[in-house]
């Protein structure tokens, strides 16, 4: 006879935290959000930790090298998506590891034959007003000039005017050699009162741009996620098919941690992949696995050597797995059960295997709830897709700015490896949708705001660390009527001006 759970499975919006005693010592600036990323034995320090409990989803529309740098600067970590060629994924990893704070690889480029209209389109899409003009229109091409909004007047110029006719030509630019230090670059910027300094190599190819506005910002990141050589930490998604080729390439490129990306992780495929990695690299290489939604799934992956375990099936904003296949579990219930299994495993074996709640975070307080329920960190897709740094296009829809966001199980992503059960190497049906999410500005501003709420709520619960929150949290179910009571009600809202 089938097994029946006695209780319905529930999600974050059905719970609230009940405040506990909070002493005067318990203030947001004293809260530490540091959390372990990988397994460790009792009494030992984890080999990898992050300073904030947030990682970005292993998705084409979320985690590329640009987002990875921005998130590492805030103390989190990205897993660069694996649904691309091994070479392209490795190159993204290399770009993060090579990244020098303050040195920007130009992402807004045109060739001299392109037009004012192209410049305006790129400016709108990227939000950047400094555009490099290179011979081939690509980031590393031979630099021929720069276009900024000082070079054109939309009201006075034809949209099809060629870039070569109005750019500031290379001969008239202040530029410097690729080996220039950040300090030297900033001295040049100040001496010449310019906003941006291009750095070129001996062949006049554009290597970096240094912006005046970035300098102060880069002095201030106290909580960055960095390795022993002060390079940003970065993770990479892998699959259970091409790991024998992909894993060595990613490690060679400098990936700090891997994660098997799959919609369903309680499988022999995952064990085979973990076995391969542990056999070839031992403990040196850290790899997470998932996704699972119950204690049995957790134990299977923990026993198989997973360094962390990811929880969540069907809760992602773009995910339609539950509708398509009828599998999944309410995210809160899944986290609560797996957290209990993680604690039992620790008691039994002395090994702590961190767990990650993946998908379904809609409100900032869901992050706090996930942590209080036992998650060590959370993975977010929709949340990060909304920011300037995500890899997708910003578009204007009926007067509102939106960013594209599509699932790895959508036809657009063509990520059959994530869903493959040993079939015929194609997606037989979609498990994700292609969508838009409201544009929300910079990652830094949003992450800081979210975490200020998390810290504040932790203080309400009398907790200065995540383990303390987990030990002290009092969590209550809420009725649907009391959910209505929780929002503004029985008032007419004034316009937000
Ligand atoms: P969310 O943060 O709610 O946007 O969810 C992101 C998560 O959704 C990912 O980390 C992944 O586990 C899951 N996902 C990604 N693609 C799909 C899909 O197409 N069904 N689901």
């Amino acid at each position: 006879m089938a097994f029946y759970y006695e209780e319905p499975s529930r999600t974050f919006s059905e719970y609230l935290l009940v405040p506990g005693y909070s002493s005067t010592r318990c203030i947001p600036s004293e809260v530490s959000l540091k959390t372990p990323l990988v397994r460790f034995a009792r009494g030992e320090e984890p080999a990898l930790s992050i300073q904030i409990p947030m990682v970005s989803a292993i998705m084409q529309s979320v985690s590329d090298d640009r987002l990875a740098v921005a998130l590492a600067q805030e103390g989190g970590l990205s897993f660069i998506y694996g649904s691309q060629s091994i070479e392209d994924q490795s190159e993204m990893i290399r770009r993060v590891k090579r990244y020098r704070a303050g040195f920007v690889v130009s992402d807004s480029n045109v060739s001299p034959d392109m037009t004012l209209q192209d410049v305006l389109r790129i400016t709108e899409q990227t939000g950047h007003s400094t555009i490099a003009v290179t011979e081939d229109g690509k980031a590393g091409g031979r630099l021929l000039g720069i276009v900024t909004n000082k070079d054109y007047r939309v009201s006075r110029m034809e949209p099809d005017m060629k870039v070569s006719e109005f750019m500031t030509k290379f001969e008239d630019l202040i530029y410097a050699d690729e080996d220039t230090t950040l300090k030297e670059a900033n001295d040049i910027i100040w001496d010449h009162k310019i906003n941006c300094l291009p750095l070129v190599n001996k062949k006049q190819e554009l290597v970096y741009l240094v912006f005046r506005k970035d300098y102060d910002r880069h002095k201030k990141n106290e909580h960055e996620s960095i390795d022993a050589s002060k390079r940003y930490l970065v993770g990479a998604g892998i699959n259970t098919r091409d790991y024998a080729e992909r894993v060595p390439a990613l490690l060679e490129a400098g990936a700090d941690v891997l994660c098997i990306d799959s919609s369903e992780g309680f499988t022999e495929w995952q064990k085979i992949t973990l076995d391969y990695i542990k056999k070839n690299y031992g403990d040196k290489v850290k790899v997470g696995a998932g996704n699972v939604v119950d204690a049995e799934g957790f134990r299977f992956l923990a026993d198989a050597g997973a360094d962390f375990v990811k929880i969540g099936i069907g809760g992602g904003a773009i995910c339609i797995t539950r509708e398509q296949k009828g599998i999944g579990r309410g995210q809160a219930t899944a986290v609560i059960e797996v957290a209990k299994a993680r604690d039992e495993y620790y008691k039994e074996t002395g090994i702590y295997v961190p767990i990650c709640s993946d998908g379904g975070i809609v409100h900032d307080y869901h992050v706090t709830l996930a942590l209080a329920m036992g998650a060590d960190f959370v993975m977010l897709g929709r949340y990060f897709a909304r920011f300037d740094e995500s890899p997708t296009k910003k578009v204007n829809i009926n007067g509102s700015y939106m960013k594209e966001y599509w699932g790895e199980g959508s036809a657009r992503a063509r990520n059959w490896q994530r869903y493959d059960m040993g079939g015929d190497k194609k997606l037989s049906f979609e498990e994700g949708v292609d969508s838009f999410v409201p544009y929300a500005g910079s990652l830094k501003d949003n992450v800081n705001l979210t975490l200020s709420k998390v810290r504040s709520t932790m203080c309400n619960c009398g907790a200065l660390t995540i383990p303390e929150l987990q030990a002290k949290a009092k969590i209550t179910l809420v009725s649907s009527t009391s959910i209505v009571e929780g929002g503004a009600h029985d008032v007419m809202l004034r316009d937000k001006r």
Side-chain angles (χ1 to χ4, degrees):
M1 192 187 145
F3 175 79
Y4 288 89
Y5 291 88
E6 280 174 15
E7 292 289 325
S9 67
R10 300 189 181 274
T11 194
F12 297 128
S13 290
E14 293 175 84
Y15 290 93
L16 284 176
L17 284 154
V18 175
Y21 171 72
S22 166
S23 75
T24 51
R25 209 174 53 88
C26 211
I27 54 172
S29 59
E30 289 298 308
V31 170
S32 162
L33 293 173
K34 189 173 175 188
T35 194
L37 191 68
V38 296
R39 66 163 65 206
F40 59 93
R42 187 176 285 127
E44 287 179 10
E45 281 293 307
L48 277 175
S49 294
I50 41 181
Q51 303 302 318
I52 63 170
M54 295 169 96
V55 302
S56 70
I58 312 171
M59 297 175 72
Q60 293 172 4
S61 48
V62 180
S63 298
D64 69 348
D65 47 301
R66 184 165 171 226
L67 190 116
V69 167
L71 184 51
Q73 286 175 334
E74 298 312 311
L77 183 110
S78 287
F79 287 89
I80 304 283
Y81 62 94
S83 51
Q84 59 179 326
S85 73
I86 295 173
E87 295 70 36
D88 289 349
Q89 190 186 15
S90 306
E91 184 49 31
M92 283 192 181
I93 299 285
R94 268 193 290 273
R95 284 209 289 266
V96 178
K97 297 313 277 186
R98 271 201 311 251
Y99 183 88
R100 294 156 69 195
F103 294 82
V104 178
V105 175
S106 172
D107 71 348
S108 306
N109 309 288
V110 289
S111 64
D113 288 339
M114 289 167 83
T115 62
L116 174 58
Q117 205 164 13
D118 294 318
V119 168
L120 297 175
R121 179 180 43 83
I122 292 174
T123 301
E124 173 159 322
Q125 272 168 14
T126 60
H128 295 157
S129 55
T130 300
I131 305 215
V133 186
T134 58
E135 210 161 59
D136 58 1
K138 296 197 181 131
R142 193 157 159 267
L143 185 66
L144 302 180
I146 291 277
V147 170
T148 70
N149 47 15
K150 289 196 196 118
D151 293 310
Y152 56 83
R153 278 279 177 82
V154 178
S155 56
R156 294 195 180 186
M157 288 159 58
E158 292 300 323
D160 58 358
M161 189 167 185
K162 289 241 159 67
V163 165
S164 55
E165 295 173 50
F166 62 90
M167 68 185 185
T168 302
K169 295 200 168 52
F170 184 74
E171 303 82 83
D172 301 323
L173 285 177
I174 308 288
Y175 62 91
D177 186 76
E178 62 175 327
D179 297 327
T180 309
T181 66
L182 189 58
K183 165 93 180 59
E184 288 162 353
N186 279 284
D187 290 345
I188 299 174
I189 286 174
W190 282 107
D191 290 348
H192 293 86
K193 298 189 168 43
I194 51 176
N195 286 322
C196 168
L197 180 73
L199 302 190
V200 295
N201 64 18
K202 302 255 172 328
K203 292 193 224 151
Q204 202 180 307
E205 288 160 346
L206 177 61
V207 184
Y208 293 116
L209 298 173
V210 177
F211 289 93
R212 172 194 194 123
K213 66 177 165 46
D214 281 352
Y215 187 54
D216 287 337
R217 204 159 65 87
H218 287 301
K219 287 195 299 193
K220 278 188 229 140
N221 294 320
E222 309 146 35
H223 300 301
E224 296 179 326
S225 301
I226 46 173
D227 65 18
S229 318
K230 296 209 159 47
R231 300 175 309 172
Y232 288 123
L233 290 185
V234 64
I238 59 169
N239 63 68
T240 56
R241 290 287 166 260
D242 65 11
Y243 52 82
E245 295 87 51
R246 194 173 289 268
V247 169
L250 294 171
L251 295 175
E252 167 81 30
D256 296 285
V257 51
L258 307 173
C259 183
I260 307 175
D261 178 32
S262 171
S263 67
E264 214 285 276
F266 192 0
T267 69
E268 194 175 356
W269 304 112
Q270 298 237 341
K271 181 166 161 40
I272 294 168
T273 308
L274 290 168
D275 282 349
Y276 167 86
I277 293 173
K278 295 296 163 186
K279 183 167 155 259
N280 284 281
Y281 301 97
D283 261 357
K284 281 207 304 282
V285 171
K286 306 295 176 191
V287 53
N291 284 7
V292 298
V293 285
D294 69 356
E296 218 184 330
F298 167 82
R299 191 162 272 266
F300 172 78
L301 291 177
D303 282 341
D307 286 293
F308 63 89
V309 171
K310 217 142 62 66
I311 308 162
I313 296 179
I318 33 49
C319 184
I320 50 170
T321 294
R322 294 185 195 167
E323 285 171 13
Q324 290 285 60
K325 291 170 69 179
I327 59 166
R329 199 172 196 195
Q331 187 65 11
T333 303
V335 171
I336 293 165
E337 182 176 316
V338 174
K340 216 161 128 200
R342 186 254 340 258
D343 293 344
E344 277 161 17
Y345 194 81
Y346 183 50
K347 224 186 255 167
E348 243 175 80
T349 63
I351 306 287
Y352 188 91
V353 180
I355 55 174
C356 167
S357 173
D358 174 17
I361 298 284
V362 180
H363 300 292
D364 291 330
Y365 80 87
H366 289 173
V367 175
T368 326
L369 267 177
L371 298 173
M373 287 170 177
D376 294 281
F377 54 100
V378 295
M379 176 174 270
L380 310 99
R382 187 197 61 86
Y383 177 86
F384 287 116
R386 300 172 303 147
F387 304 153
D388 289 319
E389 294 83 352
S390 81
T392 72
K393 275 203 218 109
K394 182 170 141 196
V395 289
N396 188 329
I397 299 179
N398 302 330
S400 304
Y401 281 111
M402 311 287 275
K403 294 268 293 189
E404 297 177 320
Y405 180 41
W406 63 90
E408 289 296 299
S410 67
R412 182 169 181 180
R414 291 211 204 95
N415 184 0
W416 63 267
Q417 290 96 332
R418 186 171 196 273
Y419 299 90
D420 184 43
M421 306 285 292
D424 48 7
K425 302 193 173 183
K426 67 175 176 51
L427 270 186
S428 321
F429 53 90
E430 288 185 293
E431 291 191 41
V433 297
D434 189 356
S435 68
F436 295 106
V437 285
Y439 165 68
S442 79
L443 179 144
K444 185 185 182 68
D445 291 347
N446 282 279
V447 166
N448 284 341
L449 179 64
T450 299
L451 294 180
S452 68
K453 293 184 202 172
V454 172
R455 288 192 187 92
S456 175
T457 309
M458 285 173 65
C459 290
N460 295 139
C461 297
L464 286 173
T465 63
I466 294 171
E468 205 178 346
L469 174 70
Q470 291 163 349
K472 288 185 170 172
K474 295 183 284 183
I475 301 173
T476 178
L477 268 171
V478 284
S479 70
S480 45
T481 328
S482 71
I483 291 174
V484 175
E485 186 187 54
H489 62 92
D490 301 304
V491 292
M492 192 175 82
L493 292 181
R494 285 171 182 245
D495 282 355
K496 273 192 187 165
R497 265 188 263 259

